[in-house]
Amino acid sequence: MKAFLQAIQTKLATIAALQYIDEDWGQMDSYSPNPPTKFPCALIDITSLNFSNIGKDNSANPINRQLADGTITFILADIKLSNTSHRAPQSQKDNAWTIWTIIEDLHKTVHGWKPTEVSGALMRTGLKRIRRDDGIQEYQITYTIGFANV
């Protein structure tokens, strides 16, 4: 999983708007108003994996082989300092909607991409807004993935 997480981190580094990319170890939890991150940020987590046995390979270590399928979660967050009301200046609205450009860029970057040779492609399954009271816009985007011979 280490190589998998590193591959994703390297791939997300191609999104120029992101100022901080890391494994999710709780940076957005209980740190209000000063999370230990720069904004906008992307946090990566292997949320769950389910394994099934597919047999043995005596030349491998361990010899028991498995398939895995699971969920990878991306947290995208940015500080929203201006509003997007109908009468706000267009430049102000453009800045306030930056998170949506980043969400689209993340999707274009990872959807259908295979991070490692033993993984399948990341396929988006959900997007959820995380309500906050500190001016940070936070979205949780989930992707499914499969792994073979692990």
Side-chain angles (χ1 to χ4, degrees), residues 52-63:
S52 60
N53 295 320
I54 59 172
K56 294 184 178 187
D57 179 351
N58 290 327
S59 66
N61 184 16
I63 64 170

Side-chain angles (χ1 to χ4, degrees), residues 7 24 32 36 39 43 55 70 72 104 110 122 124 130 138 144-145:
D24 183 359
S32 186
F39 292 101
L43 306 174
I72 307 304
E104 183 179 340
V110 302
L122 287 158
R124 182 175 57 186
I130 306 300
E138 183 178 346
T144 59
I145 193 157

